[in-house]
Amino acid sequence: MNAPVSMPSVLSIRPEAAEAPESGIVEVANYGRGREGLIPLWVGEGDLSTPGFICEAATRALAAGETFYTWQRGIPDLRQALARYHERLYGKPSDPERFFITIGGMHAAQIAVRMVAGAGDEVVIPTPAWPNFSGAITVAGARAVAAPMTADERGWQLDLDRLKGAVTSRTRALVVNSPANPTGWTASLDELSAILALARSRGLWIVADEIYARFAYEPALMVDGRAPSFRDVMEPEDRILFVQTFSKNWAMTGWRIGWIEATPALGQVIENLIQYSTSGVPVPHQRAAIAALVEGESFVAHQIARARRGREIVVGGLAATGKVELPAPPGAFYAFLKVKGVADSRRLAMRLVDEANVGLAPGTAFGEGGQGYLRLCFARKAEDLEETVRRLAPVLRAI
Amino acid sequence: MNAPVSMPSVLSIRPEAAEAPESGIVEVANYGRGREGLIPLWVGEGDLSTPGFICEAATRALAAGETFYTWQRGIPDLRQALARYHERLYGKPSDPERFFITIGGMHAAQIAVRMVAGAGDEVVIPTPAWPNFSGAITVAGARAVAAPMTADERGWQLDLDRLKGAVTSRTRALVVNSPANPTGWTASLDELSAILALARSRGLWIVADEIYARFAYEPALMVDGRAPSFRDVMEPEDRILFVQTFSKNWAMTGWRIGWIEATPALGQVIENLIQYSTSGVPVPHQRAAIAALVEGESFVAHQIARARRGREIVVGGLAATGKVELPAPPGAFYAFLKVKGVADSRRLAMRLVDEANVGLAPGTAFGEGGQGYLRLCFARKAEDLEETVRRLAPVLRAI
């Protein structure tokens, strides 16, 4: 985490706003943005722009004049398409009333956090973690409590006792991200059941971030070709809020469209929170999202195959330098690598921009346990990743 | 204001979320949505879809693959274009560093409120007012305090003593919307100076909503063809946050793109609040916004001329029924009409959907002082507004 912003005290703004830290990812990305020939692997997006059939659905909607305000929960056709998609992916009946369209996964997270936590509350997050959850928790006036995971030669492991130990009387929710950004940790069904049992016994909400569910690489850990999900172990009355996005599966990061899946009993509350934050999602984007769900399976398969190949190149290539610790991640599309002998990964990330012309995110951006690590996104064409390894190797070897 | 949502207590969500009221506008719009032949004048948008030259800028950006994450503050070209636009409109030098692109004016308001108010704080708002400010204040954990305006045969007047009287030791900000939604009240330069003096003397922020600045109809009240602005009376060190949108001038309600104008000293804080709520605005939309600013003046003039004609039709036509009180509003594009002998304007709005096939917003949606009123948006073609008067007249006369 970076330090809160300092500013003239005469401006006297609220601590929740002033204390929201600068994203350590954005900081480095801003440092290197626009450098000639840089390979940008710092943010969580691939190199493919959105497929034409998705863009064209938006273009058609614009041309048809769909430029007006719309349903705050999302257009019925998209909520319906999401229910069908979930039925295919998870093999269980679903319901359009469970889905609420948001301005990206971040907005889904903001709304989920706003529902479950505020002043005086704590939310527990296994770390290292995507920093934006703790950012949203801070902005909501609550406190993000880290439950550090452990890393060994097999990879990252959830320490369930540490998770239990982080829960206090003030805890209102657990954030569970599996497959995880940045570590690739992927919960087994048994782990999901254990987390759910903890949440039930302590009366906690679970905010479930399963946006990388389809990027899973270890058959022994998988269910029907995807990562295990809370949907595989939950009961309808369990208090779970799923936050989701079109960004990753369908290469739509820049569109800002995602969704919340929740019990329909929360429908009016979620509608109100959408109304008072963004007032809905552009209809052309919702039409594009329908195209993604209905016609996008071969593109998703292509993305997964590329990520699988990217993972091989990066894990193998960096291991060969002898300077990094990097067990192959079982899920998501990041290599979270520990550089031997490096104490300051933020400085190293800046140095790799300058000396290797490669953009990686510093582990310090991901909270407790991230120091000494770098995150590399391997959702990219093989040539770029091979070139990345070639550029990084000499710099790493010289450390 | 509508009642907070009731739900099973087992869901135990935060009061800030549960207490955000359902929008009274959306409630009626949902009631009537999809009715054959209904003339929808309930929400703040006109009947024109976004002009082709704006849509085409977005389409070109999509086709060019601009579908990735971008600058959290907005792309430099758009911030530059906004500075130039402000220089033209307000006749003073500006600076791109003052502008921060958001997901619509609502998102700008959410961020402005989050910076200045939280638990234990109060924000004063002259009412009747656009309900979404008090919604955002509630969600932020603060309290919206109404300072009711007064209505007489000349129209709505700000009661400055009442505004002063509403300020307590807990007040952190004043929300000032001029020209106002729904009343059309438009502050004079003297009134803006008096409000600013109050804010300075009590150490308050002003959240300035001047989104209808170009929809002004009374030459005696106007400055350079627009409504007076805090920019005309402020000093650089004054604590004013301007919230703005592309929705109204350029018929872009459905796009969800707006901006905050603020001191550059708040830049990092605003960037962080964007990061942890929506993570930026789609680049194609930002390209469209540039087209609007650079090529959109004749379209804006056309919209203003239509609204001016719409105002004449509605004010004259409804006055002729003898059943409404409706002084001509000096700004914005709403008729806020009082129906004689009506106690429940929410019920009346539903009745007008059923009996006149016209959608109006109930005055109760706009807080204290709104009971008995209805809001009608006249940013629409003359034929529709003439038909509206024809449909409403017999129902109003029968009351």
Side-chain angles (χ1 to χ4, degrees):
Chain A
M1 277 296 147
N2 290 38
V5 177
S6 71
M7 75 189 67
S9 63
V10 64
L11 288 174
S12 65
I13 63 167
R14 284 289 303 191
E16 302 93 323
E19 286 167 9
E22 179 179 357
S23 164
I25 307 171
V26 171
E27 185 199 14
V28 178
N30 282 346
Y31 176 74
R33 199 187 297 254
R35 300 223 185 180
E36 182 75 26
L38 179 137
I39 303 176
L41 311 175
W42 33 37
V43 291
E45 68 184 352
D47 58 337
L48 294 178
S49 61
T50 311
F53 71 91
I54 295 176
C55 295
E56 283 153 23
T59 294
R60 279 195 303 274
L62 273 183
E66 292 196 301
T67 61
F68 296 95
Y69 288 126
T70 186
W71 302 93
Q72 298 294 299
R73 301 183 191 202
I75 60 174
D77 284 354
L78 177 52
R79 303 177 75 202
Q80 184 70 244
L82 276 169
R84 296 295 86 78
Y85 173 77
H86 281 71
E87 289 175 348
R88 293 197 301 275
L89 193 58
Y90 297 101
K92 292 185 179 178
S94 189
D95 174 359
E97 292 299 315
R98 291 180 57 81
F99 298 95
F100 305 90
I101 313 307
T102 61
I103 297 286
M106 182 64 238
H107 186 220
Q110 182 197 36
I111 288 175
V113 165
R114 173 68 295 185
M115 283 199 286
V116 302
D121 295 339
E122 295 176 353
V123 178
V124 174
I125 310 182
T127 62
W130 182 50
N132 289 30
F133 268 114
S134 71
I137 291 162
T138 303
V139 172
R143 199 165 81 85
V145 174
M149 302 179 73
T150 55
D152 62 23
E153 68 290 348
R154 297 166 302 157
W156 289 86
Q157 312 294 333
L158 180 69
D159 186 332
L160 200 63
D161 289 331
R162 219 159 173 179
L163 188 66
K164 282 179 187 164
V167 173
T168 73
S169 62
R170 288 183 296 280
T171 308
R172 299 292 308 274
L174 310 174
V175 172
V176 182
N177 170 215
S178 169
N181 168 8
T183 61
W185 170 73
T186 300
S188 66
L189 286 174
D190 285 348
E191 286 174 310
L192 292 174
S193 295
I195 295 167
L196 183 56
L198 170 63
R200 287 174 178 166
S201 72
R202 302 296 298 263
L204 307 176
W205 283 93
I206 291 171
V207 179
D209 171 354
E210 301 182 350
I211 72 174
Y212 299 101
R214 307 191 62 178
F215 293 87
Y217 310 104
E218 302 290 350
L221 252 179
M222 288 158 68
V223 176
D224 295 338
R226 53 158 175 87
S229 167
F230 277 112
R231 291 177 197 80
D232 299 321
V233 297
M234 73 186 282
E235 299 296 331
E237 65 274 20
D238 279 312
R239 288 185 283 185
I240 303 184
L241 300 169
F242 294 91
V243 299
Q244 263 286 7
T245 180
F246 286 91
S247 290
K248 314 299 179 180
N249 291 349
W250 297 281
M252 294 178 74
T253 49
W255 293 65
R256 317 313 306 126
I257 178 165
W259 71 91
I260 294 174
E261 184 189 350
T263 169
L266 286 172
Q268 189 62 53
V269 172
I270 295 172
E271 170 170 332
N272 296 346
L273 292 173
I274 291 171
Q275 173 71 40
Y276 300 128
S277 57
T278 57
S279 299
V281 174
V283 175
H285 289 189
Q286 299 194 58
R287 300 278 179 220
I290 293 170
L293 293 170
V294 174
E295 305 166 50
E297 278 306 303
S298 67
F299 181 76
V300 174
H302 175 60
Q303 291 246 87
I304 296 167
R306 286 172 111 233
R308 185 184 294 278
R309 176 78 186 113
R311 173 175 174 263
E312 283 168 15
I313 293 167
V314 168
V315 171
L318 293 181
T321 66
K323 295 294 296 228
V324 306
E325 295 169 14
L326 176 58
F333 49 55
Y334 305 102
F336 199 56
L337 51 120
K338 186 175 180 115
V339 182
K340 295 174 188 170
V342 166
D344 184 344
S345 56
R346 180 174 163 275
R347 217 171 124 187
L348 178 58
M350 304 281 197
R351 183 175 160 188
L352 292 174
V353 167
D354 292 332
E355 298 183 17
N357 213 15
V358 169
L360 304 186
T364 41
F366 304 93
E368 204 167 321
Q371 184 57 281
Y373 287 83
L374 294 165
R375 189 190 71 174
L376 180 158
C377 174
F378 55 70
R380 207 172 181 87
K381 66 173 176 282
E383 295 75 4
D384 281 3
L385 296 168
E386 285 159 354
E387 173 65 14
T388 294
V389 169
R390 273 193 295 275
R391 291 187 191 179
L392 289 178
V395 185
L396 293 174
R397 286 207 186 91
I399 284 169
Chain B
M1 276 299 147
N2 290 39
V5 177
S6 70
M7 77 190 64
S9 63
V10 63
L11 288 172
S12 67
I13 63 166
R14 285 287 304 190
E16 302 94 322
E19 287 167 10
E22 179 179 357
S23 164
I25 307 171
V26 171
E27 185 199 14
V28 178
N30 283 347
Y31 176 72
R33 200 186 298 255
R35 300 222 185 181
E36 181 75 25
L38 180 137
I39 303 177
L41 310 175
W42 34 38
V43 291
E45 70 183 349
D47 57 337
L48 294 178
S49 61
T50 312
F53 71 91
I54 295 175
C55 295
E56 283 154 21
T59 295
R60 279 195 302 274
L62 273 183
E66 292 196 301
T67 60
F68 297 95
Y69 288 126
T70 186
W71 301 93
Q72 298 293 300
R73 301 183 192 203
I75 62 174
D77 284 354
L78 177 53
R79 302 176 76 202
Q80 185 70 244
L82 276 170
R84 296 296 86 79
Y85 172 77
H86 280 72
E87 289 175 346
R88 292 197 302 275
L89 192 59
Y90 297 102
K92 292 184 179 178
S94 190
D95 175 359
E97 292 299 315
R98 291 180 58 79
F99 297 95
F100 305 91
I101 314 306
T102 61
I103 296 286
M106 183 64 240
H107 187 220
Q110 183 196 36
I111 288 175
V113 165
R114 174 67 298 185
M115 284 199 285
V116 301
D121 295 338
E122 295 175 353
V123 178
V124 174
I125 310 182
T127 61
W130 182 50
N132 289 29
F133 268 112
S134 70
I137 291 162
T138 302
V139 172
R143 199 165 82 86
V145 174
M149 302 179 73
T150 55
D152 61 23
E153 67 290 348
R154 297 166 303 157
W156 289 85
Q157 313 294 332
L158 181 69
D159 185 332
L160 199 64
D161 289 330
R162 217 158 174 180
L163 188 66
K164 283 179 186 164
V167 173
T168 73
S169 61
R170 289 182 295 279
T171 308
R172 300 291 309 273
L174 308 174
V175 172
V176 183
N177 170 215
S178 169
N181 168 7
T183 61
W185 170 72
T186 300
S188 66
L189 287 173
D190 286 349
E191 285 175 311
L192 292 174
S193 295
I195 295 166
L196 183 56
L198 171 63
R200 286 173 179 165
S201 72
R202 302 296 297 263
L204 307 176
W205 283 93
I206 290 172
V207 178
D209 170 355
E210 301 181 349
I211 71 173
Y212 299 101
R214 306 192 63 180
F215 292 87
Y217 310 104
E218 302 289 349
L221 252 179
M222 289 158 69
V223 177
D224 296 339
R226 54 160 174 85
S229 168
F230 277 112
R231 293 177 195 80
D232 299 321
V233 298
M234 72 186 284
E235 299 296 330
E237 65 272 19
D238 279 313
R239 289 185 282 184
I240 303 185
L241 302 168
F242 293 91
V243 299
Q244 263 287 6
T245 181
F246 285 92
S247 290
K248 313 298 180 180
N249 291 349
W250 297 282
M252 295 177 73
T253 49
W255 293 66
R256 316 311 307 127
I257 178 165
W259 69 92
I260 293 175
E261 185 189 350
T263 170
L266 287 173
Q268 188 62 53
V269 172
I270 295 172
E271 172 170 332
N272 296 346
L273 291 173
I274 291 170
Q275 174 72 42
Y276 300 128
S277 56
T278 57
S279 298
V281 173
V283 175
H285 289 189
Q286 298 194 58
R287 301 279 180 219
I290 293 171
L293 292 170
V294 174
E295 305 167 50
E297 279 306 302
S298 66
F299 180 75
V300 174
H302 175 60
Q303 291 246 88
I304 295 168
R306 286 173 109 234
R308 185 184 295 276
R309 176 77 187 112
R311 173 175 174 263
E312 283 168 17
I313 293 167
V314 168
V315 171
L318 293 181
T321 66
K323 294 294 296 227
V324 306
E325 294 169 15
L326 177 58
F333 49 54
Y334 305 101
F336 199 56
L337 52 120
K338 185 174 179 117
V339 181
K340 294 175 188 171
V342 166
D344 183 344
S345 57
R346 179 173 163 276
R347 215 171 125 189
L348 178 58
M350 305 280 197
R351 182 174 160 190
L352 292 174
V353 167
D354 291 331
E355 298 183 16
N357 213 16
V358 169
L360 303 187
T364 40
F366 303 93
E368 205 168 321
Q371 185 55 283
Y373 287 83
L374 294 165
R375 188 189 72 173
L376 179 158
C377 174
F378 55 70
R380 206 171 181 88
K381 67 172 177 282
E383 295 76 5
D384 280 3
L385 296 169
E386 286 159 354
E387 172 66 14
T388 294
V389 170
R390 271 193 294 275
R391 292 187 191 178
L392 289 178
V395 184
L396 293 175
R397 285 208 186 93
I399 284 168

